[in-house]
Amino acid sequence: MNSNEKFLRMTTEPVEKLICTLAAPTIISMLVTSFYNMADTYFVGSLGKSAVGGVGIAYPLMNVLQAFGFFFGHGSGNYMSRELGKQNYDSAEKMSATGFFTAMIFGFFIMILGLIFCDELVYFLGATHTIAPYAKDYISIILIGAPYMTASFVLNNQLRYQGSAFYSMIGLATGAVTNLFLTPLFIFVFDLGVAGAALGTIISQLISFCLLLLGTRFSGNIRIKFKCFTPNRFYLREIVAGGTPSLCRQGLASVATTSLNVAANPFGDEVIAAMSIVSKVMMFANSAVIGFGQGFQPVCGFNYGAGNYKRVKKAYWFCVKSGFIFLVIASIICIINGEWALSQFAKGEAEVIAIGTKAFRFQCYTMPLNALIVLSNMLAQTIRKPFRASILAASRQGLIFIPAVIIGSHVAGLTGIMLAQPISDAISFILAIIIISDILRKMK
């Protein structure tokens, strides 16, 4: 499929069919991304609650890498989809290279700083003295892969915004399958413990990176060329405008997880381990809707760039309704099977399972609200409404959640920590309704 054929498809094919076609590989990609963290937690669960807590402590760092990857990936990808909708291919090519190489540079700096200050970092992220050695073993290895892990998120998003989510799915899925084999091999066969989980992850991520880079050479996609690297004021400004909501969302997710770990610290390793497991299982449950929304974004970008606002609205409401129905069904299943799901990660740790099951069910009650929150954020971000998109992105996992977990832990103790996310979801839902109503009303 060449560029003109792709343009016609994105602007004329029925949106329901188009979104479902594009969303299938993005949903798989999101589930696969969740698998990276869940696989580590599952296998590390056999090493005890402190080891699980060590992987949980590293989760904010993974969020930081993802935050910068999404910042450059969404920032460049949003611009590329609008330019492809206008059929400005040269400009899209320059943006592709600029987003990719800038992300690698940022990943390199994160690696250097993280390795220098690794001891201080694990305690800053909320580790107890018993968890800290496991966290350091894991983080020191993960940091080695920071440059290409950050760039992988850029490639994944750029391919997706070009309507080629299939290639991103292949890259991520291959890495995930590799991770499922390497992690238990390094942990149990080579007896590397938590370090083995990290080693399996960075090798798997390297394989994903190579396959994603290869995917840019097929199906009319824009190839990454260093000669097109154009880090001037215009392209960097566009990346900031399109990527800031993602940086706010993922960056604040890192701060939120750190705040959660710090708040849980006085209650012991059991609570840190339990909340770490709940966060990853909930991310897996929500990832299908996020993937569905990512199938919406290229349709939104192409049609907004082409001036087909009616198709943008139609696509938005289709995704919101479908996502809400899916999450209602998913939340019911999760409430019924919550204890079983938690027991798969906290093997034999009765207290961790009990705490995690209660927190998990609290979050399931408000999970369906995420359909409108996520899709509204993606619409605002794709059509270049950076301020409103940033507010929406920052609310659920930052602006509202962080005060909720801090205040809740002081007012209601452990129960307050468990209720922080549901409270944040409910308030973010109301905020999303206010912001998206204004955007849709003005889109004529």
Side-chain angles (χ1 to χ4, degrees), residues 48-50 52-53 268-278 339 342-343 345-360 418:
K49 61 189 178 185
S50 295
V52 173
D269 291 7
E270 293 84 0
V271 177
I272 294 177
M275 297 309 296
S276 170
I277 294 170
V278 170
E339 185 174 354
L342 271 292
S343 67
F345 297 91
K347 301 176 179 66
E349 298 285 350
E351 190 172 357
V352 174
I353 295 171
I355 295 169
T357 301
K358 187 176 181 180
F360 185 53
M418 295 179 180

Side-chain angles (χ1 to χ4, degrees), residues 227-250:
K227 67 179 182 180
C228 296
F229 181 38
T230 315
N232 60 28
R233 183 177 180 181
F234 173 78
Y235 287 108
L236 293 178
R237 185 176 66 236
E238 289 297 321
I239 288 175
V240 170
T244 298
S246 297
L247 184 63
C248 290
R249 179 174 58 249
Q250 297 301 134

Side-chain angles (χ1 to χ4, degrees), residues 40 58 61-62 65 111 137-149 197-199 201-202:
D40 286 354
L61 174 64
M62 303 290 281
L65 297 177
M111 177 188 74
D137 286 347
Y138 191 86
I139 286 175
S140 60
I141 293 176
I142 287 293
L143 283 167
I144 296 172
Y148 62 79
M149 288 170 69
L199 187 60
T201 296
I202 65 168

Side-chain angles (χ1 to χ4, degrees), residues 363-379:
Q363 294 190 28
C364 286
Y365 296 138
T366 56
M367 184 164 62
L369 304 181
N370 288 330
L372 186 133
I373 297 170
V374 169
L375 268 299
S376 299
N377 174 223
M378 289 182 170
L379 173 62

Side-chain angles (χ1 to χ4, degrees), residues 17-45:
K17 177 184 176 183
L18 182 59
I19 289 173
C20 288
T21 302
L22 294 173
T26 60
I27 290 171
I28 294 173
S29 297
M30 284 303 303
L31 293 173
V32 163
T33 301
S34 299
F35 249 89
Y36 276 113
N37 288 317
M38 288 183 65
D40 286 354
T41 303
Y42 177 80
F43 293 117
V44 169

Side-chain angles (χ1 to χ4, degrees), residues 27 46 54 58 69 77 103 120 157 161 194 197 209 219 254-255 279 292 357 363 382 399 403 429:
I27 290 171
S46 301
E120 295 82 359
N157 284 289
Y161 276 104
V194 171
F209 170 76
S219 194
S254 177
V255 177
S279 297
F292 195 64
T357 301
Q363 294 190 28
T382 304
L399 296 178
F429 176 75

Side-chain angles (χ1 to χ4, degrees), residues 256-417:
T257 306
T258 301
S259 301
L260 182 62
N261 290 334
V262 171
N265 189 297
F267 298 94
D269 291 7
E270 293 84 0
V271 177
I272 294 177
M275 297 309 296
S276 170
I277 294 170
V278 170
S279 297
K280 293 177 182 180
V281 176
M282 286 303 298
M283 181 60 203
F284 185 78
N286 281 309
S287 61
V289 169
I290 297 173
F292 195 64
Q294 289 179 343
F296 157 76
Q297 284 184 299
V299 178
C300 176
F302 268 82
N303 286 282
Y304 190 82
N308 295 335
Y309 302 142
K310 186 176 181 180
R311 279 174 62 84
V312 174
K313 291 182 180 180
K314 186 176 182 180
Y316 168 78
W317 285 116
F318 169 71
C319 290
V320 170
K321 293 173 184 176
S322 301
F324 180 78
I325 293 171
F326 171 80
L327 286 180
V328 168
I329 297 171
S331 63
I332 293 172
I333 295 173
C334 289
I335 289 171
I336 295 172
N337 298 289
E339 185 174 354
W340 174 85
L342 271 292
S343 67
Q344 302 307 302
F345 297 91
K347 301 176 179 66
E349 298 285 350
E351 190 172 357
V352 174
I353 295 171
I355 295 169
T357 301
K358 187 176 181 180
F360 185 53
R361 287 173 175 163
F362 279 150
Q363 294 190 28
C364 286
Y365 296 138
T366 56
M367 184 164 62
L369 304 181
N370 288 330
L372 186 133
I373 297 170
V374 169
L375 268 299
S376 299
N377 174 223
M378 289 182 170
L379 173 62
Q381 182 176 4
T382 304
I383 66 174
R384 206 182 184 280
K385 304 291 183 184
F387 177 74
R388 280 173 281 191
S390 298
I391 293 296
L392 279 174
S395 62
R396 180 178 176 268
Q397 292 180 300
L399 296 178
I400 300 171
F401 176 81
I402 294 173
V405 74
I406 294 173
I407 295 171
S409 64
H410 285 88
V411 174
L414 181 55
T415 302
I417 294 174

